[in-house]
Amino acid sequence: MKAKLEIVALILGFIGLFGTITITALPTWKVSAFIGANLIVMEELWEGLWMNCYRQININMQCKVYDSLLILPVELQVARAMMCVSIALVFIALIVTGCGIQRSYCCGDKQKCKNITLALGGCLYLLSFLTTLIPVCWVGHSIIQQFNDPTSLDAQKRELGQAIFIGWGTCGVLLATGIILLFRYSKRTSKEEDHYNDAYLMEEKSVVKEDSVGLAKTGSSFHKFHEYV
């Protein structure tokens, strides 16, 4: 059961990696809001971190990569950088976790090394959770704020795209993975401490037993010497 929990964490880690790559690549962070004058669906606009896509009625979707990073809103600029960091963190966390699971041979028989490696993997997942949650929530907040702004034109208003919802789901997966790994780390360390305590008590008992045997032998020798005298 314990080993299966670590395998589940590895599977969740792969899902988290796939999720971060997906939401970084998707152009559906912001999508057209069909309200007011845009109630009739004549055209559709998607905005992502790397490109925007535009489609009119009876015309296929056409996507174009941004000419410059500076033309993006601040939240999308920050989101692009932080999502790249998230992908790197999840990838490193996967490798570290693979070395720290019970069935791994990376650390040999050094249980303490495996425990530290597992804890490091859990911390990296939690860090990637933050670097994913912040840009997704920031972009979502800016979309909602602009949507509710009465001074904004209907054509400028956007809705939450698929990438935002996938991002929130991915954040949940990364958080669960980090918690599972740190939970396993705490269980491993407590078990290791119990093992060391048991070994220490056994050694202490053996020392006491040897001392008592030595005292018994000394007493016996003294008694024989006294009888001889």
Side-chain angles (χ1 to χ4, degrees):
M1 181 63 185
K2 297 174 182 177
K4 288 181 180 179
L5 198 61
E6 296 173 3
I7 298 300
V8 169
L10 267 181
I11 295 172
L12 289 176
F14 276 107
I15 296 174
L17 179 62
F18 178 76
T20 51
I21 293 174
T22 301
I23 62 179
T24 305
L26 278 177
T28 52
W29 283 66
K30 298 181 179 182
V31 297
S32 301
F34 300 109
I35 55 173
N38 295 333
L39 187 59
I40 301 175
V41 183
M42 298 295 293
E43 59 183 21
E44 190 175 2
L45 179 65
W46 297 348
E47 296 179 37
L49 302 181
W50 308 95
M51 66 182 73
N52 58 5
C53 298
Y54 179 77
R55 179 176 63 184
Q56 287 184 326
I57 190 169
N58 298 328
I59 298 177
N60 292 330
M61 180 72 71
Q62 296 178 346
C63 296
K64 182 185 177 183
V65 179
Y66 296 121
D67 296 327
S68 174
L69 176 65
L70 300 178
I71 66 175
L72 293 174
V74 176
E75 65 270 14
L76 289 183
Q77 293 182 24
V78 175
R80 181 192 282 196
M82 294 192 73
M83 288 310 303
C84 291
V85 173
S86 295
I87 293 173
L89 285 174
V90 177
F91 182 74
I92 296 171
L94 262 177
I95 297 175
V96 172
T97 303
C99 294
I101 62 175
Q102 198 72 39
R103 297 182 178 181
S104 172
Y105 297 100
C106 292
C107 298
D109 296 330
K110 298 177 181 178
Q111 190 62 39
K112 188 174 183 180
C113 178
K114 283 188 176 183
N115 293 345
I116 295 174
T117 305
L118 195 72
L120 179 59
C123 292
L124 287 174
Y125 275 116
L126 293 181
L127 187 59
S128 65
F129 157 73
L130 291 176
T131 56
T132 304
L133 182 67
I134 291 172
V136 171
C137 289
W138 189 359
V139 175
H141 173 72
S142 68
I143 293 171
I144 296 171
Q145 192 176 34
Q146 187 180 23
F147 187 88
N148 294 323
D149 187 2
T151 61
S152 297
L153 300 175
D154 291 340
Q156 296 175 334
K157 293 182 178 181
R158 300 287 181 264
E159 289 184 352
L160 302 173
Q162 293 178 353
I164 300 294
F165 296 104
I166 297 174
W168 283 330
T170 302
C171 288
V173 171
L174 295 174
L175 178 62
T177 308
I179 291 174
I180 289 173
L181 292 177
L182 291 180
F183 173 75
R184 285 292 300 127
Y185 167 74
S186 64
K187 289 294 183 181
R188 278 192 189 180
T189 50
S190 61
K191 186 177 179 181
E192 188 179 3
E193 287 176 358
D194 293 340
H195 175 73
Y196 285 145
N197 290 335
D198 293 341
Y200 177 75
L201 289 174
M202 289 181 65
E203 185 178 354
E204 206 172 43
K205 287 180 180 179
S206 65
V207 170
V208 171
K209 188 176 181 180
E210 288 177 359
D211 290 343
S212 61
V213 171
L215 289 174
K217 288 181 178 180
T218 304
S220 177
S221 300
F222 179 77
H223 181 69
K224 289 181 179 179
F225 176 76
H226 181 71
E227 288 181 349
Y228 176 76
V229 173

